[in-house]
Amino acid sequence: MVSRRILIVDDVEFNLEFENQVIESFMEEKNIQIDVDVASSVEEALDKIEENDPYDAMIVDMNLPDGSGIDIAKAALRKSESTRIAALTIYPNKYENERVFFDLFLKKPIMPSAYKQNFAHLLRL
Amino acid sequence: MQNVSPLSASDTPGLQECLSDMTATIADHGIQKNFQLLFLDLNIPSHILKTSELHLDNELTAKIRRRLRLLLGEEDRLYQAKNGGYAVLHYPIFKTKERFFAERIVHAFSEPCELDGEIFYIDISIGIARYPFDAEDAQTLLDIAYESMKQIETEGKNLIGLPHIIHSGDTEIERTKIMKALPEAIERGDIRFVYQPQYSYARGRFVGAEMLARWEHDEYGVISPAVFIPLAEQSGMIGPLTVRALTEASAAFKYLEKYGHRDFSLSVNISPVFLTNGNFRETVSFLLERYDLKRYELHFEITEEFLLQNSKMLDETLQYLRDRHIRIELDDFGTGYTSLQHLVRLPIDIIKADRSFVAGIATDDKKLALLRAIVDLGRALNMEIVAEGIEYGTDDAVLRTFGDIVAQGYLYGKPVTLDELVEKISG
């Protein structure tokens, strides 16, 4: 079975829970295994990146209380350039200059169908 | 007929044809046939435009057109402007609200687009001109639709502009501000839900509640749902807001169950803009499965406006919901234009008699006669009746003589938090 390790970062508890549900539903549909780590701040995300083997992919909220998703993307790419990174933002078209750090921009608030479509793309599935 | 590849630009007529079609409709039918001209400007992210080659341009254009065509009614027609924009000649269904069609377009474009391994979002601005309301000739209508689009584009993305003659400048700006604050409010859970209890005379207890959205904004204060729900519909946010309501319903059902209220329904208002969106079923099915909603008594409240569409899709969607044990309530019954044929044909379980037929029945014989007719009609069709707007004991006493009715109104409780609801129905 295909398996992947990912990190999702969001400071809103509801969003983490919702993303988890969408990812579980995605796993059932595609019959794959995805291990999900979560973080709710830049600091926590940086710790997770530091402590663990490089993640296959990350979905990072752009607007966190202690900084921006860009800081997390930079740290992840320093650790491994092969980590695929999605930015989660209300304004996906606002970040033209930051495109180098991200593989895709995912629109918030999350809807299951769009999230799954983006997710498959992010994981190259 | 000319043989054109589906990817070529030539299969979509240009603005010149749009003008002649409008002129022909006006000449043939005059003001007997109302229509809207919509001008659409699409904002494709610049990195997609920069890198894309000709064959990808064509593919993107084909995808955009397909997305638009799926929304067109039988008589509607799509045109392509030279600047990359589109015009749509739209014949609205009788009495649906003015922005409904445009809202469906905005909602459709809130879904991502995929091209050559890239996923991205297209922002859209729409201007509307209405015949004969805004102008009576084709060229002026086109100019107005274009100007409305340009005007609304200066205020933000994914907005719908109507000619300013019907809005004062201030309210329009206020609306735009509120609309911009919506995504974050939904996303961060600032929009909360309250519950208005419903009491069954026959069972002598509370049997359910209607969920209503409340938004208290730090800067703008309390914003009425009468203001923000239409704005959510216009900006593609009604889907996410409804998802929020349904996940909240899931948590509420579990909470109620914990306090021993197993046999209790929750009604969630479902906007026709969301219900007619392509991802509606997938979203609902996700929520039923992952949020356990299929275990509970979930009701969807729809308005008569939705029934007016009279399409195959409507029948299928309602049947889809019924197959999943979601009960359909028809809200504000009696105020709109529901044809009796719809009522007979469609899988509607409950009709909600509008407050205007309920408040005052104790003193107004004509009102009482109307309400009796509604109740009899519903019962003849095997539907349950919910009566809204019960505020006075005198009306309540009359209503009780009708027998098995579910009562909703201030007399039985105003909308309250979940904790207060549990307290009320337990007491």
Side-chain angles (χ1 to χ4, degrees):
Chain A
M1 194 193 256
V2 180
S3 100
R4 296 276 196 282
R5 284 181 54 251
I6 69 162
L7 175 68
I8 54 179
V9 189
D10 204 305
D11 61 317
V12 180
E13 177 64 31
F14 172 85
N15 291 340
L16 288 175
E17 164 64 16
F18 195 75
E19 287 181 66
N20 256 309
Q21 293 292 347
V22 180
I23 291 167
E24 280 191 29
S25 157
F26 182 87
M27 279 167 26
E28 275 174 22
E29 280 167 24
K30 305 271 177 183
N31 192 28
I32 56 169
Q33 179 57 40
I34 296 165
D35 295 317
V36 183
D37 260 358
V38 299
S40 53
S41 64
V42 173
E43 195 188 342
E44 204 184 331
L46 295 182
D47 286 347
K48 291 255 157 94
I49 292 166
E50 174 80 32
E51 287 162 15
N52 292 291
D53 290 339
Y55 291 99
D56 294 311
M58 297 181 18
I59 298 172
V60 179
D61 182 21
M62 288 301 268
N63 191 12
L64 292 159
D66 59 341
S68 156
I70 297 167
D71 303 328
I72 300 172
K74 283 180 182 166
L77 292 172
R78 270 197 298 272
K79 180 131 181 169
S80 164
E81 284 192 0
S82 61
T83 299
R84 303 259 296 163
I85 308 171
L88 194 55
T89 165
I90 290 170
Y91 307 103
N93 293 338
K94 206 179 86 177
Y95 293 96
E96 279 300 318
N97 297 329
E98 289 79 18
R99 300 205 70 84
V100 287
F101 304 114
F102 297 95
D103 294 284
L104 60 91
F105 287 77
L106 218 169
K107 198 182 209 165
K108 282 202 294 192
I110 300 160
M111 290 295 276
S113 53
Y115 192 90
K116 285 180 191 174
Q117 188 186 346
N118 276 286
F119 195 71
H121 188 75
L122 184 70
L123 296 182
R124 301 186 199 269
L125 291 167
Chain B
M1 198 165 143
Q2 207 184 337
N3 185 16
V4 286
S5 127
L7 299 184
S8 87
S10 53
D11 65 342
T12 302
L15 289 186
Q16 212 51 48
E17 256 182 282
C18 174
L19 287 170
S20 17
D21 285 351
M22 275 194 282
T23 306
T25 302
I26 295 169
D28 290 349
H29 305 278
I31 57 166
Q32 298 304 316
K33 191 161 183 168
N34 295 4
F35 63 82
Q36 293 186 341
L37 179 71
L38 292 88
F39 201 98
L40 282 53
D41 190 42
L42 303 178
N43 229 297
I44 296 156
S46 53
H47 71 280
I48 297 290
L49 284 180
K50 261 183 243 157
T51 54
S52 98
E53 298 156 26
L54 185 62
H55 75 281
L56 292 176
D57 268 354
N58 287 339
E59 193 182 326
L60 180 59
T61 308
K63 283 186 170 176
I64 290 168
R65 284 194 206 136
R66 198 172 311 134
R67 206 173 274 203
L68 288 170
R69 287 218 173 95
L70 282 172
L71 302 169
L72 299 186
E74 266 174 39
E75 280 190 272
D76 297 354
R77 203 162 176 211
L78 178 70
Y79 309 88
Q80 182 139 33
K82 287 208 174 73
N83 65 1
Y86 290 86
V88 179
L89 187 52
H90 169 62
Y91 297 92
I93 295 151
F94 184 56
K95 289 293 180 195
T96 47
K97 62 182 175 185
E98 286 181 316
R99 290 186 174 87
F100 183 64
F101 180 65
E103 286 166 4
R104 293 185 61 210
I105 298 176
V106 172
H107 211 290
F109 278 88
S110 68
E111 295 280 304
C113 204
E114 193 167 2
L115 184 72
D116 194 34
E118 284 260 21
I119 291 199
F120 56 95
Y121 292 86
I122 297 173
D123 291 319
I124 188 163
S125 307
I126 302 178
I128 306 177
R130 298 150 297 179
Y131 174 83
F133 189 79
D134 296 317
E136 294 189 15
D137 72 279
Q139 185 63 54
T140 313
L141 285 163
L142 183 58
D143 293 345
I144 290 176
Y146 184 76
E147 283 310 317
S148 306
M149 181 278 289
K150 276 291 176 204
Q151 180 60 36
I152 204 74
E153 208 165 44
T154 62
E155 293 178 21
K157 305 287 185 198
N158 301 316
L159 301 178
I160 299 163
L162 280 170
H164 273 236
I165 40 178
I166 60 161
H167 294 296
S168 75
D170 286 351
T171 34
E172 193 67 22
I173 289 164
E174 200 59 28
R175 282 164 26 92
T176 311
K177 274 189 185 166
I178 293 170
M179 201 155 3
K180 279 184 185 162
L182 257 171
E184 192 169 341
I186 295 169
E187 204 260 316
R188 305 201 74 88
D190 294 344
I191 296 180
R192 304 185 176 282
F193 295 91
V194 286
Y195 301 78
Q196 184 164 33
Q198 299 170 328
Y199 185 87
S200 159
Y201 294 148
R203 284 182 271 175
R205 65 172 180 87
F206 289 100
V207 291
E210 176 180 358
M211 289 176 69
L212 299 156
R214 285 282 177 277
W215 184 11
E216 203 174 333
H217 190 277
D218 289 345
E219 192 183 333
Y220 309 129
V222 176
I223 304 171
S224 158
V227 172
F228 73 80
I229 300 287
L231 296 178
E233 290 178 324
Q234 284 164 41
S235 55
M237 281 300 126
I238 197 68
L241 181 60
T242 312
V243 166
R244 232 15 225 257
L246 289 167
T247 55
E248 166 97 7
S250 162
F253 275 126
K254 287 171 188 166
Y255 192 76
L256 286 159
E257 198 172 30
K258 200 173 94 183
Y259 286 91
H261 303 286
R262 183 73 181 85
D263 189 15
F264 195 86
S265 68
L266 291 176
S267 307
V268 176
N269 288 279
I270 304 291
S271 157
V273 180
F274 181 43
L275 214 140
T276 52
N277 185 261
N279 66 19
F280 176 76
R281 287 187 204 179
E282 185 182 343
T283 308
V284 168
S285 125
F286 166 80
L287 291 161
L288 288 175
E289 290 298 325
R290 306 301 314 181
Y291 282 82
D292 254 0
L293 282 166
K294 57 183 178 185
R295 285 177 49 216
Y296 299 102
E297 255 186 75
L298 180 63
H299 295 187
F300 279 3
E301 271 192 36
I302 60 172
T303 52
E304 292 184 67
E305 172 186 38
F306 176 65
L307 301 187
L308 287 167
Q309 297 198 67
N310 192 20
S311 66
K312 197 167 158 250
M313 181 199 186
L314 162 73
D315 295 18
E316 286 171 1
T317 303
L318 292 185
Q319 196 53 52
Y320 175 90
L321 296 174
R322 170 168 275 193
D323 291 345
R324 278 148 193 81
H325 308 294
I326 295 171
R327 302 186 79 204
I328 309 295
E329 292 182 26
L330 189 56
D331 202 7
D332 302 334
F333 184 76
T335 57
Y337 300 84
T338 306
S339 103
L340 295 180
Q341 271 179 340
H342 286 320
L343 265 194
V344 174
R345 189 171 54 85
L346 292 168
I348 291 160
D349 303 290
I350 298 156
I351 53 181
K352 292 189 86 169
D354 186 71
R355 64 177 59 250
S356 57
F357 296 105
V358 179
I361 45 168
T363 50
D364 187 335
D365 286 347
K366 283 185 181 161
K367 219 175 233 187
L368 181 62
L370 268 177
L371 182 67
R372 196 179 295 282
I374 291 173
V375 171
D376 288 345
L377 174 66
R379 286 182 179 157
L381 296 172
N382 254 336
M383 293 168 188
E384 280 178 35
I385 318 289
V386 177
E388 290 184 283
I390 301 164
E391 293 180 16
Y392 300 104
T394 45
D395 289 341
D396 184 61
V398 175
L399 203 57
R400 279 176 183 268
T401 65
F402 281 52
D404 190 4
I405 297 238
V406 171
Q408 181 179 342
Y410 274 29
L411 189 67
Y412 288 96
K414 57 179 203 263
V416 291
T417 65
L418 185 58
D419 276 328
E420 290 164 336
L421 176 77
V422 168
E423 200 173 309
K424 178 159 191 90
I425 64 178
S426 307

